[in-house]
Amino acid sequence: MIKFLLTTSLLMFSIISFCATPPAEVLKAYHLKFPTAINVTWGKENAHEFEAWFLLNGLKCATIYTDKGEWIQTETPLIFSKLPKEVQISFSKDHENSNPKLVSKLVQAKGIIKYEIETKKGINTLEFFYTSNGMETTEK
């Protein structure tokens, strides 16, 4: 019985977390910023943030909004060779034995741009973040 209740609770949490419908303010802000996006799926990033995954110009993108409809960040996939040269050089020097698996451009509120490079080490995924000038940062 306890297994059943635990399983049911986890299932309900998953459904609520990953199939969340955001408030009207969030939907309005999203549609204004991404009017041509298609195939959107919403989820809860945390208690006060919603994340949308969608296709834009053939790319699988993600964006995050507060529950008040304030845009926080958009993540767009890139290929390593399209990163700024400073980021490519820094990553290759700092992580010479790592092969990038996923590369993304993160555009944040206030015009801040960062780059995320994901690698695999065994079964673990490692994330590295860089500023536009190639400085590695721990801040997402």
Side-chain angles (χ1 to χ4, degrees):
M1 181 64 165
I2 291 178
K3 274 187 173 180
F4 173 76
L5 290 175
L6 182 60
T7 303
T8 303
S9 296
L10 287 173
L11 179 61
M12 291 305 295
F13 174 77
S14 296
I15 291 169
I16 291 167
S17 295
F18 298 107
C19 298
T21 301
E25 300 91 351
V26 175
L27 292 172
K28 181 179 178 184
Y30 167 81
H31 288 295
L32 285 172
K33 190 160 186 71
F34 303 103
T36 60
I38 59 172
N39 299 340
V40 65
T41 303
W42 287 95
K44 290 279 285 182
E45 180 75 3
N46 59 45
H48 298 286
E49 295 175 355
F50 288 85
E51 184 168 12
W53 299 272
F54 56 95
L55 288 176
L56 184 65
N57 302 322
L59 299 174
K60 294 180 183 179
C61 302
T63 193
I64 302 172
Y65 285 87
T66 68
D67 55 5
K68 306 272 188 247
E70 298 162 340
W71 173 71
I72 296 173
Q73 172 179 286
T74 299
E75 183 173 342
T76 308
L78 288 177
I79 58 173
F80 189 82
S81 64
K82 296 293 183 185
L83 287 168
K85 289 295 179 203
E86 295 86 353
V87 175
Q88 292 180 46
I89 291 167
S90 291
F91 176 81
S92 296
K93 179 181 170 191
D94 297 341
H95 307 283
E96 62 186 59
N97 295 323
S98 297
N99 292 320
K101 299 296 180 196
L102 292 173
V103 178
S104 299
K105 179 179 183 179
L106 309 174
V107 179
Q108 301 172 335
K110 299 179 185 171
I112 297 169
I113 297 174
K114 292 188 180 168
Y115 298 90
E116 177 182 10
I117 302 171
E118 290 185 12
T119 66
K120 284 282 204 187
K121 185 173 185 178
I123 61 169
N124 298 317
T125 298
L126 305 175
E127 297 178 328
F128 302 100
F129 297 91
Y130 288 86
T131 61
S132 295
N133 63 359
M135 297 297 298
E136 189 170 356
T137 179
T138 56
E139 297 176 18
K140 213 174 189 182

